[in-house]
Amino acid sequence: MAEDPLALVPDFPDEDPSTYPPIQPGGSLILAWQVRNKRVVLVGGGNVAATRLVHLLSASASITLIAPPSGLHPETAYRLKTHASQITYIPRNFQPTDLTTSPSTISLVLTAIDDPVASTEIYTLSKQLGLPVNVADVPPECDFYFGSVHRDGPLQVMVSTNGNGPKLAAMIRRRIADSLPRDISTAIVRVGELRGKLRKLAPGKEEGGEEDGVD
């Protein structure tokens, strides 16, 4: 019989487990997902799609927006005209070939349409193709959620309720933003510049670049 792998795990008698962060199952893995210059398909052109566009444009994604002209929100139309180099606009309803033609070039799929049946079809097709997908306002059909985000230069603070309370998340985000120092973004830029200089003076001496912490 193979040896129990847990029997190989050493004991650490001097460690105090009470100092470790507690595990709270059921949360989401909150990441800063880099989609710069990567293709993201956004189906829909209404007010929710306009909100999604703000996130995607701020992340410098390469966006394919699929929606008939009659369904465009004024802000969506404005983004299409002001960011034409970043958004490929397809002026019609979604078709399966929008995903199946070249799925390997797609990083994310987002839907923001008032058609539950069509949304579920897009979700199902995305899963078949192995594409991460978010169906607006339908948490069970989301591989990831959009939180309420505060942005100030390089600083990004996101509050997520795992799809349970978007308005509550926005309220918490505003309170956090109001508590931040006024010139925090300038300080962060300067810290980044200092880190860059330190890396040149002592390559490999600085700790990793990930921001990791659990409260």
Side-chain angles (χ1 to χ4, degrees):
M1 180 180 293
E3 185 176 6
D4 181 3
L6 290 180
L8 303 176
V9 178
D11 293 323
F12 296 92
D14 296 331
E15 284 289 296
D16 180 6
S18 67
T19 63
Y20 303 157
I23 304 301
Q24 301 183 54
S28 297
L29 183 62
I30 296 181
L31 305 171
W33 199 330
Q34 293 288 352
V35 292
R36 183 182 295 109
N37 299 324
K38 294 181 180 179
R39 186 181 172 208
V40 177
V41 174
L42 172 58
V43 182
N47 62 322
V48 175
T51 301
R52 297 290 190 257
L53 276 176
V54 172
H55 289 290
L56 296 174
L57 291 170
S58 298
S60 300
S62 178
I63 306 156
T64 298
L65 189 142
I66 306 168
S70 60
L72 295 179
H73 186 275
E75 183 180 350
T76 305
Y78 172 77
R79 304 296 182 189
L80 288 173
K81 293 178 180 179
T82 57
H83 292 79
S85 63
Q86 201 173 336
I87 306 172
T88 299
Y89 176 45
I90 300 177
R92 57 165 172 74
N93 289 319
F94 173 84
Q95 296 178 2
T97 53
D98 293 325
L99 299 184
T100 59
T101 298
S102 52
S104 63
T105 66
I106 301 172
S107 293
L108 301 174
V109 178
L110 315 177
T111 76
I113 55 178
D114 294 325
D115 187 336
V117 174
S119 292
T120 296
E121 290 176 350
I122 296 170
Y123 168 80
T124 301
L125 179 58
S126 298
K127 299 304 293 180
Q128 291 173 349
L129 297 171
L131 299 173
V133 59
N134 173 282
V135 177
D137 297 327
V138 187
E141 296 185 351
C142 292
D143 290 318
F144 55 93
Y145 302 113
F146 282 86
S148 184
V149 177
H150 169 70
R151 176 76 184 274
D152 184 2
L155 175 66
Q156 291 179 265
V157 179
M158 188 186 88
V159 177
S160 173
T161 59
N162 287 319
N164 289 293
K167 291 185 178 180
L168 180 59
M171 182 189 73
I172 296 171
R173 181 257 304 164
R174 285 192 293 269
R175 290 199 175 188
I176 293 174
D178 290 342
S179 69
L180 294 172
R182 182 171 299 175
D183 297 324
I184 187 66
S185 63
T186 301
I188 292 172
V189 170
R190 290 174 178 170
V191 169
E193 293 172 348
L194 178 60
R195 290 181 67 227
K197 293 178 181 178
L198 290 174
R199 280 197 295 267
K200 292 180 181 179
L201 293 173
K205 295 296 183 181
E206 186 187 8
E207 293 185 358
E210 294 189 4
E211 302 153 312
D212 196 0
V214 180
D215 293 325

